[in-house]
Structures are given as C-alpha cells and as structure tokens.
Amino acid sequence: MSTRGVRRHVFGVTAVGLRNPTMTELEPITPQDALELYVEDIDGELSPNSVRAKRYQLGKFVDWCEGADADETRVENLNEITGRDFTRFKNWRSEGINKVTLRTNLSALRSFMRFCVSVDAVPHAIPEKSTSRT
C-alpha cells in the first residue's frame, strides 16, 4: 500500500516534522485579549490610522463573540471557534453594510486568525474557514 501524498500525524508532528498543534496544545484566550495582543503586534508595523482601522474592524468581531447584541456570549475562548461561527458572524455583520465593507472586515478577520494561529490560540485550519464567500 502506497503512502505517497499522505501526511501522517503522530503526536502533533507531521511526517515532514512540522508542528501541528492539537486542541490540547492551544492556549485559552478570549477574543478581546487576542485582539489586544494582535494590536500590540501590528502597532510598529502599520500606520496609526491602519492600526485604528484594524481595531475597529476586529472590534465588530469581538462584539459579536461577546454577544453585545445577544443574551449570552457566543465565543468565550477562541480555541473553540468553528467555521459555523464565522458564517454566523458574516451573516450578522452583513446587515446594514455594503459588500466591499464586509469583504474588508472579513479580510481583516482572516489576517487576525492567521496571527491567532501563530500564538497558539486557534487550530491551523481556522483562517481558511474565515474566508469570504461574498
């Protein structure tokens, strides 16, 4: 039986030796704490206006996670976020804004999720699940 093209995962390490964190290796973090960490990280790389824009765009996601418009928190720990959550957020965010703004917000969210992967806050597959399909 050929294993060509198949990646085997053994104890969180792929066949080529790259780390692949599992849910147990993720470090719990709230959406707000992750946003603050991200803003600190990009602060020296982007202009102050760009940092403010990212904070605003991602603040909408944090508000949604915290249930600002609902009776309960939707996502308390980013370790547990799913593709369904991104679809629900996209549907919620799309009300009252144009498609360009929505795409911009989702692009910022995707970048944020890539950062979250780098700090062991979300699984590796999550950024692609936040991809815009508008």
Side-chain angles (χ1 to χ4, degrees):
M1 178 174 166
S2 171
T3 58
R4 188 175 178 166
V6 176
R7 296 177 73 181
R8 294 180 358 139
H9 295 274
V10 180
F11 301 111
V13 179
T14 66
V16 293
L18 301 174
R19 294 292 300 154
N20 184 22
T22 62
M23 285 298 286
T24 57
E25 295 173 338
L26 297 176
E27 298 176 32
I29 191 167
T30 67
Q32 182 64 49
D33 288 344
L35 175 59
E36 294 307 320
L37 193 60
Y38 179 67
V39 168
E40 283 179 33
D41 189 62
I42 64 173
D43 191 33
E45 298 174 13
L46 301 176
S47 73
N49 285 343
S50 293
V51 172
R52 270 192 300 279
K54 295 278 187 194
R55 180 184 288 280
Y56 174 79
Q57 293 161 355
L58 296 169
K60 298 296 184 184
F61 175 70
V62 170
D63 289 347
W64 179 85
C65 288
E66 292 176 346
D69 66 325
D71 292 336
E72 61 184 43
T73 303
R74 292 179 177 104
V75 178
E76 291 181 44
N77 178 358
L78 282 182
N79 298 173
E80 299 167 358
I81 199 158
T82 67
R84 290 180 188 176
D85 292 319
F86 291 120
T87 298
R88 289 179 183 119
F89 169 72
K90 183 181 90 170
N91 293 339
W92 175 84
R93 184 68 181 122
S94 67
E95 292 185 27
I97 62 171
N98 65 46
K99 287 186 179 190
V100 173
T101 301
L102 179 60
R103 280 190 204 118
T104 301
N105 284 194
L106 295 176
S107 176
L109 180 58
R110 200 168 32 260
S111 295
F112 175 55
M113 287 295 118
R114 287 184 189 122
F115 169 80
C116 289
V117 166
S118 76
V119 296
D120 300 326
V122 299
H124 286 274
I126 289 297
E128 295 313 309
K129 292 181 180 194
S130 64
T131 301
S132 168
R133 289 176 296 284
T134 58

